Amino acid sequence: QASAPHTAFTMLLILTASLSLLTPPPLGRAGPALPRRACLAAAAAAAAGLHAPPAIAIGESLMEAAVSADPLIVRLKQAREGIAAVPLQADSGDWAAVRKTVSFTLPFLTLKGYTGESVKSRAASLKTEQAKATVLDQRSALLISLAKLDKAAYAVQIGKTPPAEASEVVTTSVDDALAAMDGILAEF
């Protein structure tokens, strides 16, 4: 027969684990999303009567800011930060991270996903035709740049292209992608 405090603690841990499944996974290396482990660690620390580590407390304030902000804009800014980090990833030879950054960014351009919106659907809701055309043109330019990045990273991964040659494509594509992302964010 388990004691009442032991049973209550076990139930709290089960509840915490269940709620962590509802927490969306982290979307990028940097950004306001907390990893599930951090949520679990904070709940376990609270259940044990301990204080949460400072990193978790900082993450919670970032989460509050993200919830109050426009989810599409937050994710686009995260994607922009990821794209800005691509040259460093390429220089270090982490071509899988380059491709992961591309795959992280693509859904926000067309698919609605967690945000309930995409760049394409938000562009359709803009008031002026000029704003719609600008966003859709920037979206197209961003998609082309991301395709070039992915193609260059894949070519290096399979040994078809030397990394030095792909780095030139990366530099040009990242500059184009950042300009297009800035154009999109300026319209929203």
Side-chain angles (χ1 to χ4, degrees):
Q1 189 76 355
S3 65
H6 184 267
T7 304
F9 182 75
T10 304
M11 290 178 64
L12 180 63
L13 285 178
I14 291 171
L15 176 64
T16 303
S18 299
L19 290 175
S20 72
L21 294 175
L22 298 175
T23 305
L27 297 174
R29 292 184 180 183
L34 276 177
R36 292 178 185 183
R37 289 182 187 163
C39 294
L40 288 173
L50 304 173
H51 295 288
I56 294 171
I58 291 169
E60 288 171 354
S61 65
L62 288 174
M63 282 296 288
E64 290 171 7
V67 169
S68 65
D70 181 354
L72 179 62
I73 300 297
V74 169
R75 287 188 170 83
L76 288 173
K77 287 181 179 179
Q78 287 175 339
R80 190 196 185 288
E81 290 173 12
I83 293 168
V86 163
L88 296 174
Q89 296 166 344
D91 289 343
S92 68
D94 192 358
W95 295 98
V98 172
R99 295 191 74 206
K100 185 175 181 182
T101 299
V102 170
S103 67
F104 170 75
T105 306
L106 288 175
F108 309 124
L109 301 178
T110 305
L111 305 175
K112 293 185 178 182
Y114 284 122
T115 64
E117 268 191 301
S118 68
V119 170
K120 188 175 181 179
S121 67
R122 178 76 62 93
S125 69
L126 292 175
K127 293 181 181 180
T128 66
E129 290 300 318
Q130 181 180 1
K132 288 178 190 179
T134 300
V135 169
L136 292 176
D137 289 345
Q138 295 296 329
R139 177 183 165 271
S140 295
L142 182 56
L143 285 168
I144 290 168
S145 298
L146 292 174
K148 288 179 184 177
L149 277 175
D150 192 51
K151 184 177 179 180
Y154 181 69
V156 171
Q157 284 181 319
I158 63 170
K160 185 177 178 183
T161 305
E165 188 178 315
S167 292
E168 295 172 15
V169 174
V170 166
T171 302
T172 306
S173 297
V174 165
D175 291 343
D176 294 345
L178 290 175
M181 183 69 82
D182 290 340
I184 291 169
L185 289 169
E187 290 295 327
F188 291 163

